[in-house]
Amino acid sequence: MTQPPQPPNDPPQGGFGAPQDPPPGGFGAPTPPPADASGKQSATPPAGGFGAPTPPADAQPPAGAPQQPGPGYGYPQGQPGYGYPQNQPPQPGYGYPQAPVPGNPQQGYGFPQGLPPGQPPLQGYGYATTPMPQPPQPPQNGNGGKKLSTQMQIIIAASVAVVLIVGGGIWYASSGDGDKKGQASSSSGSTEGKDGENKGGAAPDGAGTEKAPADPKSKVAFQLPLPKVTDVTKVDGSWLTDKAYVKTGLNEIVAYDPAKGTKLWSIPLAGQVCAASRHMSKDYKTAIAFEQSKPSKAAKYPPCNQVGAIDLKTGKLMWSKSVTAATSGDAAVRFDEITLSGTTVAAGGTEGGAAFDLNTGAERWKPKATTDGCYDKGYGGGEALAVVRKCGTYDDPQLVVQALNPTTGAPLSSFKMPPGVDYASIVSTKPLVVAADVGDTAGDGSGISDFFSIDASTGKLLTRIAADGEKYAARCASTEVESCSQLAVGNNRIYVPTEDHEGTGEYGDTNEIVSFDLTTGKPTSDRADAGDRYTMFPIGMDGGDIIAYRVPPYDKGGQVVSIDGATFKQTVLMENPSDGSIRDAETSFTPDYSEFRYRDGHLYLASTLVSKPHGSLDESRRLVVSFSRD
């Protein structure tokens, strides 16, 4: 099992078995799991509910912040359920996805995310587990109920009078003049009028496929208990096909019926999955990296040196293999991450990288050994392929971002990152967008101080966008190149959420989703408000529309919304139950350690890290909770 850094407050565990449907009254003790597709009954998971019961319907919140109930569904000890109102606003910096591959509507929305920045690489082969630092806490509002501060009134007034100001900001265009902009500027595009105002029409990337439902209310479709493990274990990997929801388990990949959660097929593996591609081909094939064996006394942490391709329609491991490192003789390369672009599988790590044919497993190319200490840190996939190449010394690294020919690995262009960049993350490959924390100036642990929009054909910097850590809430992890989350790219724009701030209600925070033009670097007039007591972030693109998840307040269920890429009008696609135990289950999936997938009225919330049990609350945690409008 891999042994990545310990997540905050030790994510707890439950048992493992086949999925079970929740009882009609909510998420109490799990009911016996349904039989799988073969008719066999699975093992019964451990007893335990999904958290504290909901307060009485007629209960009224006090004048100040509402009284907090007991912690929700397996939530870290000593903290209230995620999204519950409190004097201290929720911790910033969630962590979320890139957009799915355009032209592949089957892919769904939402992607796996990496660990918080500033952590050592997820080795998992003999390295000691390093506790993750807790994100910095925002200042407390000491006046009980939240009221509009003078600053907030100024912000709201400015937003109405100008276009978009959220606490003021600094944006840098490609000229590098560094001038502060007091208001949003217009961006190019046929759908916009004077001063960047949206005038209707279609978004540049076209209309989405998700339509407004007659009734957005959902119910719990199924839940999957966590696997039993003895150490911190990665369970990255969630994919949607036209017939199944597919999820990484313990030493296996399993497909489930989207409506019932019954097991459709399982692919046993030699060891645990340690990296999974967030992309898949149009015919539902993807790639994973996994350990060469299960843990044993001789090898407690087996190396992650196996690469394989999976057919998600048939449930077959098409091929698997390892490669030797150019600098280590016969030793197999240990991989940290893996991606897919077209029919090229690219896996990378500090010991080297390699690329394979998705369908046959034939080795396509491998970075050549160099004498200057350069190596491919990792790759970004999707419609194109790009690499972050690291050279220099540990104390003085030099990072280069290259667009690659997926078939040959030959560089098509190169862009040298500025000094002071220790890690860089590929947000998107087409268009090519990179995020970095330049000089460790972000200050919020997000790993992002700036976005770099690059012309992939020439390597020329189009624009540099300053993303103030105090204003914006997207994240990228230093442990993986393709790990950015809580943002999306489309319509030649990057969409990011603002940090949480006081809303107009008596209590409860809110935020917005805004965008920047990737050619000019300027903020646009796009602004989608989460609504009073809700916060939200992008989980992907649907054509030219943004799919976003709304984190609920203490007495509501979460929502999935579609934001029109031209008008920024919001449409509620799903509204989850407000029952207390169900809400606690939903909000226990914090974006930093969860995968969010949505398509056609189905939402899947899945864990990406599990660990051994640490108390009675662990019994209520789950691997997956699925909601459905059906």
Side-chain angles (χ1 to χ4, degrees):
M1 290 168 212
T2 53
Q3 190 181 17
Q6 194 81 352
N9 300 306
D10 276 330
Q13 309 306 315
F16 187 68
Q20 64 261 335
D21 294 324
F27 283 45
T31 56
D36 60 21
S38 64
K40 296 180 180 180
Q41 193 74 16
S42 302
T44 302
F50 261 113
T54 186
D58 58 353
Q60 297 295 324
Q67 182 179 357
Q68 298 174 356
Y73 154 73
Y75 206 80
Q77 295 89 334
Q79 296 185 14
Y82 179 70
Y84 199 91
Q86 47 199 310
N87 288 338
Q88 181 168 294
Q91 296 172 0
Y94 302 139
Y96 245 68
Q98 275 185 331
V101 181
N104 182 10
Q106 295 86 4
Q107 184 165 337
Y109 319 109
F111 299 92
Q113 62 287 332
L115 299 173
Q119 301 303 314
L122 298 178
Q123 301 292 346
Y125 355 91
Y127 284 74
T129 301
T130 304
M132 293 180 186
Q134 192 76 1
Q137 298 287 347
Q140 294 188 2
N141 181 357
N143 62 353
K146 292 187 175 179
K147 301 293 183 180
L148 283 179
S149 63
T150 301
Q151 181 185 13
M152 197 62 222
Q153 296 175 28
I154 293 173
I155 292 172
I156 294 174
S159 299
V160 174
V162 183
V163 174
L164 171 62
I165 300 177
V166 185
I170 303 173
W171 296 277
Y172 293 91
S174 56
S175 62
D177 56 15
D179 291 338
K180 292 186 177 181
K181 305 298 181 182
Q183 64 183 42
S185 303
S186 63
S187 67
S188 59
S190 60
T191 63
E192 295 190 353
K194 184 179 179 181
D195 295 328
E197 180 183 359
N198 283 315
K199 295 298 183 181
D205 288 352
T209 60
E210 300 288 351
K211 305 302 180 185
D215 183 1
K217 294 188 181 301
S218 69
K219 62 181 180 181
V220 176
F222 64 87
Q223 51 176 320
L224 305 176
L226 286 164
K228 293 181 179 179
V229 298
T230 58
D231 213 332
V232 177
T233 303
K234 290 186 69 173
V235 285
D236 276 342
S238 284
W239 304 272
L240 290 175
T241 74
D242 57 343
K243 302 291 185 183
Y245 168 71
V246 185
K247 174 62 181 167
T248 294
L250 185 62
N251 303 313
E252 64 177 349
I253 304 288
V254 185
Y256 301 94
D257 181 276
K260 302 177 182 178
T262 50
K263 186 182 292 187
L264 301 177
W265 50 256
S266 174
I267 301 175
L269 300 171
Q272 184 60 25
V273 171
C274 38
S277 171
R278 59 176 60 187
H279 309 288
M280 63 182 178
S281 64
K282 293 182 178 180
D283 56 351
Y284 302 114
K285 295 173 183 175
T286 193
I288 59 171
F290 57 100
E291 295 171 348
Q292 69 178 15
S293 65
K294 297 178 179 65
S296 64
K297 292 182 178 180
K300 185 176 181 181
Y301 303 110
C304 180
N305 57 20
Q306 301 295 306
V307 174
I310 296 174
D311 188 325
L312 298 171
K313 284 184 71 73
T314 64
K316 302 295 183 184
L317 178 63
M318 300 162 58
W319 54 265
S320 64
K321 59 173 52 181
S322 62
V323 296
T324 56
T327 59
S328 59
D330 296 332
V333 173
R334 302 184 182 200
F335 297 108
D336 299 325
E337 51 191 290
I338 193 166
T339 194
L340 177 66
S341 178
T343 59
T344 295
V345 175
T350 55
E351 297 177 341
F356 311 86
D357 183 283
L358 173 66
N359 296 305
T360 67
E363 186 176 308
R364 286 191 165 173
W365 47 266
K366 189 163 55 175
K368 296 180 181 179
T370 63
T371 58
D372 56 3
C374 295
Y375 66 94
D376 287 5
K377 175 64 179 70
Y379 305 93
E383 276 199 287
L385 186 66
V387 63
V388 172
R389 191 162 176 81
K390 197 166 189 176
C391 302
T393 64
Y394 178 83
D395 294 328
D396 186 24
Q398 176 60 65
L399 272 60
V400 177
V401 177
Q402 296 178 326
L404 301 179
N405 180 318
T407 303
T408 66
L412 302 176
S413 65
S414 295
F415 171 74
K416 183 180 292 187
M417 297 296 292
V421 176
D422 294 331
Y423 302 96
S425 301
I426 296 175
V427 179
S428 168
T429 57
K430 191 174 182 179
L432 182 54
V433 182
V434 176
D437 185 359
V438 182
D440 295 325
T441 57
D444 62 346
S446 66
I448 306 171
S449 68
D450 298 83
F451 294 108
F452 298 80
S453 178
I454 303 166
D455 185 332
S457 61
T458 64
K460 177 184 177 182
L461 178 67
L462 297 176
T463 188
R464 174 173 169 175
I465 303 168
D468 188 341
E470 295 184 357
K471 289 184 59 181
Y472 305 108
R475 293 186 73 95
C476 297
S478 63
T479 52
E480 296 178 28
V481 164
E482 199 174 42
S483 65
C484 294
S485 57
Q486 205 182 342
L487 46 67
V489 173
N491 304 315
N492 197 43
R493 298 180 179 188
I494 184 168
Y495 300 97
V496 295
T498 65
E499 288 285 1
D500 299 355
H501 58 80
E502 288 182 332
T504 58
E506 185 152 351
Y507 55 83
D509 284 351
T510 188
N511 77 331
E512 301 78 34
I513 290 176
V514 297
S515 73
F516 294 89
D517 187 288
L518 291 175
T519 300
T520 67
K522 296 179 179 180
T524 74
S525 62
D526 294 340
R527 177 190 175 100
D529 296 310
D532 199 26
R533 300 194 299 141
Y534 285 87
T535 58
M536 68 178 177
F537 52 86
I539 60 174
M541 297 294 297
D542 173 29
D545 297 341
I546 303 96
I547 303 298
Y549 176 76
R550 281 180 178 166
V551 180
Y554 79 102
D555 56 350
K556 301 287 185 180
Q559 295 180 348
V560 177
V561 298
S562 175
I563 305 172
D564 188 289
T567 66
F568 246 55
K569 176 184 177 181
Q570 299 185 52
T571 299
V572 177
L573 301 176
M574 174 177 284
E575 183 173 3
N576 296 332
S578 60
D579 176 86
S581 58
I582 298 176
R583 185 185 63 252
D584 289 342
E586 178 181 6
T587 56
S588 71
F589 288 93
T590 58
D592 280 343
Y593 304 104
S594 307
E595 298 159 329
F596 286 53
R597 300 285 186 277
Y598 178 85
R599 197 184 74 207
D600 297 335
H602 293 272
L603 173 67
Y604 305 89
L605 309 180
S607 301
T608 60
L609 278 179
V610 297
S611 63
K612 63 181 179 180
H614 286 80
S616 59
L617 287 177
D618 298 356
E619 297 177 356
S620 60
R621 279 196 172 267
R622 293 294 180 266
L623 179 67
V624 176
V625 172
S626 171
F627 295 89
S628 174
R629 283 200 318 255
D630 300 337

